[in-house]
Amino acid sequence: MDQRKEQWSSKLGFIMSSAGAAIGLGAIWKFPYVTGMSGGGAFFLLFVVFTILIGLPMLISEFVIGRGAGKEAVSAYKKLAPNSTWPWIGRLGVAGCFLLLSFYSVVGGWVFVYSGLSVQGKIISEGASYSEQFGSIVGSPVTTLIGLLLFTMINVLVVSSGVQNGIEKANKYMMPLLFIFFIILVVRSLTLTGAMEGVSFFLKPDFSSITRESVLYALGQSFFSLAVGFSCMVTYSSYLKRDVSLTTSATSVVGMNLFVSLLAGLAIFPAVFAFGQEPAAGPELLFMVLPAVFSQLPFGQVFLALFLILFLFATLTSSFSLYEIIVAALTASGKRSRKAVTWIIGLVVFIAAIPSALSSSTLSSFTIFGKSVFDATDYLVSNILLPTGCLLIAIFIIRKMDQVLVREEFTLMSPQSKSYYPLWHLLMKWVVPLTIIVVFLNTLGIVQ
């Protein structure tokens, strides 16, 4: 088997880096506001079910494809299915990552701006309206574009140098710190007056609030939060040594992701109800609630600054993986310079992200099917392209890939996983593709 020269140094490094790729804006920023817009507890339950029954098998599948081929996304499918159209799955992933970066980088820019302002002590203030504060920041074309530029520059500088050494080492320390600060935030949020109403909203299912669109959102969020569907994890696992269990690693990543999502909900929704804010506020929800909660803590300015810096790091580790799949695909032949390719991609991503960055200011009146450029891109990526990518990968790994190799990768370094293999195979053969198809048809109103 051909192996790429770059490899993770350890199982822990791979797990933490994969978790870092998954645990970013998906779990911390997007999950709370999508849950708030989609009915709370019932949505959260659907999300958990989809993550375990659909997301986990998909994550294992991408790991199997990546290490089984020892190649980045596009080349992996070329090697496993030569002279076929299957490499288009990898190309779809590259295109999808580019689109995802075009709005993800905008939010990364917001986090960057908030981090900078919090370090200067300019976020928390007496009598401040944090919703108006957010509106003034994202409503400023200059501020949003500067944030976007700085966020893009950090990605380019790191990815152009190779991400393994920096990301792997930093993740071992930064991700645990993020967990610790989240727990502090949860404890304070739960002790606010009126917090239990938020806990009930988040954890008590009310299925009357579930719509066709919210079911699609739950499925899309399970993919988005695990970074599956665009073959990012195919690229990451191609750097993995053969002394690591893929199933154990995938389970660890999913477990950490669900735990962070739970913490995010318990940190945000009790505070939302305690401060009388609207849970369906949308993408700005996190930026309105965090300052309000930290303002109730001793040394709140310091804690907010530290948390936002860690949040920025988690956001970056996710965006690194998105850049990596594009860079790895375009430099696979060895004929192009990694640095040159990364700088070009960074420039193109920055230009492509400008419409989303201006969605709350200059282009606020411009809509696509009733949605802003930012929201339309988010919807296309999360609810159309990611499920489509997952459907194609599910078909590929069962119908096209060598099943001897699949079983070997699945069970390697984990003898007990042999007993789980038939269940995983059943899920990938029938449950995953049929669920994706049925949810799509239901959303279109074809299946009731």
Side-chain angles (χ1 to χ4, degrees):
M1 181 185 72
D2 294 325
Q3 276 283 26
R4 295 177 64 89
K5 293 181 180 179
E6 294 183 277
Q7 289 187 328
W8 306 110
S9 65
S10 65
K11 173 183 175 181
L12 177 62
F14 170 65
I15 292 175
M16 295 306 290
S17 296
S18 296
I23 299 172
L25 292 183
I28 302 173
W29 163 71
K30 191 173 184 183
F31 173 75
Y33 92 73
V34 174
T35 302
M37 295 172 62
S38 304
F43 177 87
F44 179 50
L45 181 59
L46 279 175
F47 166 72
V48 171
V49 171
F50 280 144
T51 299
I52 294 174
L53 295 182
I54 310 295
L56 175 57
M58 279 302 312
L59 183 59
I60 295 173
S61 297
E62 290 205 17
F63 282 174
V64 167
I65 293 170
R67 192 173 68 179
K71 300 284 187 180
E72 45 70 39
V74 177
S75 299
Y77 296 102
K78 286 182 178 179
K79 180 177 180 179
L80 297 172
N83 303 316
S84 71
T85 58
W86 287 106
W88 279 101
I89 299 178
R91 296 186 183 106
L92 171 66
V94 171
C97 284
F98 177 81
L99 283 174
L100 178 50
L101 279 169
S102 74
F103 75 88
Y104 191 108
S105 297
V106 174
V107 185
W110 297 347
V111 180
F112 198 101
V113 170
Y114 263 78
S115 299
L117 291 175
S118 67
V119 169
Q120 301 173 56
K122 294 182 178 180
I123 296 295
I124 296 176
S125 60
E126 187 72 28
S129 171
Y130 297 116
S131 59
E132 292 180 4
Q133 184 184 68
F134 177 81
S136 66
I137 290 174
V138 302
S140 167
V142 174
T143 302
T144 52
L145 289 177
I146 289 176
L148 170 63
L149 177 62
L150 292 173
F151 185 79
T152 304
M153 288 289 291
I154 293 176
N155 275 280
V156 169
L157 289 171
V158 173
V159 177
S160 64
S161 302
V163 300
Q164 277 68 47
N165 289 333
I167 297 176
E168 181 176 351
K169 291 179 180 178
N171 264 316
K172 292 178 182 178
Y173 301 101
M174 300 296 281
M175 293 307 293
L177 284 173
L178 183 65
F179 277 91
I180 291 171
F181 273 93
F182 239 133
I183 291 172
I184 293 173
L185 185 59
V186 168
V187 171
R188 183 63 189 106
S189 186
L190 291 176
T191 55
L192 293 169
T193 302
M196 288 305 104
E197 187 179 352
V199 175
S200 178
F201 172 82
F202 178 50
L203 297 181
K204 184 178 180 180
D206 176 12
F207 290 101
S208 64
S209 61
I210 289 296
T211 64
R212 291 173 181 168
E213 191 169 60
S214 61
V215 174
L216 181 61
Y217 276 138
L219 181 64
Q221 179 63 23
S222 69
F223 297 147
F224 187 96
S225 64
L226 288 176
V228 295
F230 285 161
S231 299
C232 292
M233 293 305 186
V234 170
T235 298
Y236 262 35
S237 59
S238 72
Y239 306 136
L240 187 60
K241 298 175 183 178
R242 294 186 59 77
D243 60 352
V244 176
S245 166
L246 297 182
T247 53
T248 302
S249 300
T251 303
S252 299
V253 171
V254 169
M256 284 189 284
N257 189 271
L258 287 176
F259 184 53
V260 168
S261 297
L262 176 65
L263 290 179
L266 290 176
I268 298 299
F269 293 113
V272 166
F273 284 85
F275 293 117
Q277 296 184 8
E278 175 56 52
E284 66 268 26
L285 182 64
L286 186 74
F287 297 95
M288 295 188 305
V289 175
L290 275 180
V293 176
F294 277 108
S295 68
Q296 305 295 311
L297 284 170
F299 307 106
Q301 291 275 21
V302 176
F303 278 111
L304 177 62
L306 289 173
F307 182 84
L308 283 172
I309 290 171
L310 289 170
F311 181 28
L312 175 62
F313 183 84
T315 304
L316 285 166
T317 57
S318 293
S319 59
F320 291 157
S321 69
L322 299 175
Y323 271 96
E324 179 66 11
I325 184 177
I326 303 174
V327 172
L330 295 179
T331 58
S333 65
K335 298 178 181 179
R336 302 183 182 95
S337 162
R338 182 183 182 90
K339 286 190 175 183
V341 168
T342 307
W343 278 99
I344 293 172
I345 292 171
L347 176 61
V348 176
V349 167
F350 174 78
I351 294 172
I354 290 176
S356 288
L358 300 180
S359 288
S360 298
S361 55
T362 310
L363 297 179
S364 59
S365 61
F366 181 78
T367 60
I368 303 173
F369 298 110
K371 298 178 183 292
S372 67
V373 176
F374 180 96
D375 290 335
T377 308
D378 183 3
Y379 186 90
L380 173 64
V381 169
S382 302
N383 302 306
I384 305 297
L385 297 182
L386 277 176
T388 299
C390 287
L391 177 61
L392 293 174
I393 290 171
I395 295 172
F396 174 82
I397 197 167
I398 299 298
R399 310 288 181 179
K400 183 63 179 179
M401 192 171 170
D402 180 0
Q403 295 305 292
V404 174
L405 177 59
V406 171
R407 188 181 184 93
E408 176 188 344
E409 291 292 338
F410 187 95
T411 58
L412 188 64
M413 302 305 297
S414 180
Q416 68 272 21
S417 64
K418 292 180 180 179
S419 59
Y420 305 137
Y421 179 79
L423 174 60
W424 171 83
H425 193 275
L426 175 67
L427 290 171
M428 290 306 300
K429 185 175 184 178
W430 299 110
V431 177
V432 172
L434 288 177
T435 299
I436 295 173
I437 291 171
V438 168
V439 169
F440 262 135
L441 295 179
N442 182 263
T443 303
L444 296 173
I446 299 174
V447 174
Q448 302 296 324

